[in-house]
Amino acid sequence: MTSFVQASPTATRKSGEIKLHGPEAFAGMRRAGRLAAEALDLLVDFVKPGLSTAAIDRFVLDFALAREAYPATLLYRGYRYSVCTSINHVVCHGMPNEKPLREGDIVNIDLTFVLDGWHGDSSRMYPIGTIGRRAERLLEVTHEALMRGIAAVRPGGTTGDIGQAIQDYAEAERCSVVRDFCGHGLGRLFHDEPNILHYGRRGEGVPLKPGMFFTIEPMINLGRPQVKVLSDGWTAVTRDRSLSAQYEHSVGVTETGVEVFTMSARGLDRPGLAKAA
Ligand code: MF3
Ligand code: CO
Ligand code: CO
C-alpha cells in the first residue's frame, strides 16, 4: 500500500518505465515471497489475545535476520518497524506498540522481506479469538476481492481489469474500496511502477505484460471509503470508524496468466483458517 495514488491521470500510463523480468528474477521473487508467507504462517499460532503488536514486530525482525533477510519497512522513509499492524478501523500503516490485542479484534499484519535483493510483500488478517459476524464477513469479502483481482491478471489485460474485478465484487457485497492507497510494482525496488488501483474500469490503465511484478492489496471497509492519516504521519483510519480489512499478495505476470509469489505453502492465507486458537 503504499504508494499514494497520484492525482495525475497520466501517472498510470508510464508503461515504458515498467520493468519486465526474466526467469532469474522470478526465482528470486519466489524465494522472497515464500519467506514472507512462512513468517505470516508462523504468526497464525503466535498471535492471540493479550499479545502486543510490538511482540509481533520483534518476532518478525528476528525471523528475518535469522534467515539473512531484511524487513523492507524498517527505516523506510522514517518508518521504524518491521511490520505494519492495523487493528479494526485502522486501514493500513498501523505502528506496533505495547498494547495487548483484545478478543474480537481483527488485525492486518503486513510485512515485506528483502532477500538477495528481491522484495516479497504480503499481508493477511488475523482474527483475535472469536470475532463478530460482521468482521468475519468483511475478512471473507476482502480475501475474495484480492483473489478476484489476482484472477484478472493475464498478459494482454490491463491494470483496470484488476481494479474493476475488485470494485465490482466488493461493492456488490455492500462494502467500499479505499481509494487513497494502492498496490505497486516491486522487485529489486520496494515501491515501483505501476500503481495498482483497486477500483477502475476493465481495459483502462497500464497494459499487463509477461515479466511484470506487482502487489495487489485491496483495503475494503464495511462503511464509507474515506480515510484520514493520524498526526503520527502513518496510521490511516476510516473517517467513519467503520471496520477495515486488507489482504496482499506479490504476483508476477507469466506468459499464460499469473504466478503468486507469496502463497502459503500450508494453505493458511485464507480467513477462517488463519484463526488464532
Ligand atoms: N508493506 C506496505 C505495502 O504493502 C508498505 C508499508 S510502508 C511502511 O506496500 F513504511 F509503512 F511500512
Ligand atoms: Co505492498
Ligand atoms: Co505490504
Side-chain angles (χ1 to χ4, degrees):
M1 49 207 111
T2 330
S3 319
F4 286 86
V5 177
Q6 303 187 29
S8 158
T10 59
T12 55
R13 282 264 172 205
K14 288 188 187 166
S15 58
E17 300 170 23
I18 299 170
K19 294 174 192 71
L20 302 180
H21 298 89
E24 279 176 33
F26 272 84
M29 289 298 283
R30 262 173 224 134
R31 286 191 297 268
R34 191 181 312 128
L35 197 65
E38 267 173 43
L40 292 172
D41 282 354
L42 289 178
L43 287 168
V44 172
D45 288 326
F46 186 67
V47 172
K48 35 175 70 71
L51 187 81
S52 72
T53 48
I56 295 170
D57 187 57
R58 290 188 287 271
F59 179 93
V60 169
L61 178 59
D62 291 347
F63 176 95
L65 297 182
R67 288 158 184 83
E68 286 167 4
Y70 182 81
T73 57
L74 187 58
L75 306 180
Y76 176 80
R77 299 183 180 207
Y79 192 79
R80 292 177 32 239
Y81 306 94
S82 301
V83 285
C84 296
T85 48
S86 302
I87 305 172
N88 297 336
H89 69 293
V90 179
V91 172
C92 64
H93 302 168
M95 289 185 283
N97 61 38
E98 298 293 344
K99 269 184 260 167
L101 291 166
R102 300 183 342 176
E103 178 95 17
D105 285 343
I106 55 169
V107 189
N108 175 276
I109 303 179
D110 188 342
L111 55 82
T112 306
F113 290 150
V114 199
L115 183 67
D116 296 330
W118 297 102
H119 289 75
D121 184 5
S122 186
S123 83
R124 300 181 198 161
M125 297 302 296
Y126 294 77
I128 306 305
T130 305
I131 63 173
R133 279 179 34 221
R134 281 158 30 93
E136 202 156 288
R137 181 173 157 268
L138 176 63
L139 267 47
E140 263 151 28
V141 168
T142 306
H143 182 262
E144 178 65 19
L146 168 60
M147 298 318 285
R148 288 187 183 216
I150 291 173
V153 177
R154 56 177 184 85
T158 71
T159 55
D161 301 355
I162 303 169
Q164 175 158 10
I166 292 169
Q167 180 180 14
D168 280 0
Y169 172 72
E171 292 180 354
E173 294 293 328
R174 300 180 314 286
C175 294
S176 66
V177 177
V178 170
R179 307 292 207 270
D180 301 65
F181 301 96
C182 59
H184 49 92
L186 85 173
R188 292 212 174 266
L189 292 179
F190 185 7
H191 292 117
D192 203 351
E193 296 287 326
N195 284 336
I196 305 296
L197 307 190
H198 303 114
Y199 59 94
R201 299 300 221 120
R202 191 170 296 131
E204 294 184 351
V206 172
L208 300 177
K209 296 183 184 150
M212 283 184 185
F213 297 161
F214 50 82
T215 71
I216 306 178
E217 46 182 306
M219 285 138 279
I220 306 292
N221 300 346
L222 274 184
R224 297 179 58 79
Q226 283 77 20
V227 310
K228 65 176 177 190
V229 175
L230 301 185
S231 58
D232 60 25
W234 285 105
T235 314
V237 300
T238 54
R239 281 191 176 267
D240 64 5
R241 296 188 68 86
S242 67
L243 287 180
S244 186
Q246 180 179 32
Y247 286 82
E248 174 177 23
H249 276 308
S250 296
V251 308
V253 183
T254 65
E255 295 295 332
T256 53
V258 62
E259 176 172 346
V260 181
F261 298 125
T262 46
M263 202 63 97
S264 167
R266 296 162 58 195
L268 295 175
D269 49 351
R270 291 180 292 131
L273 292 170
K275 193 157 197 125

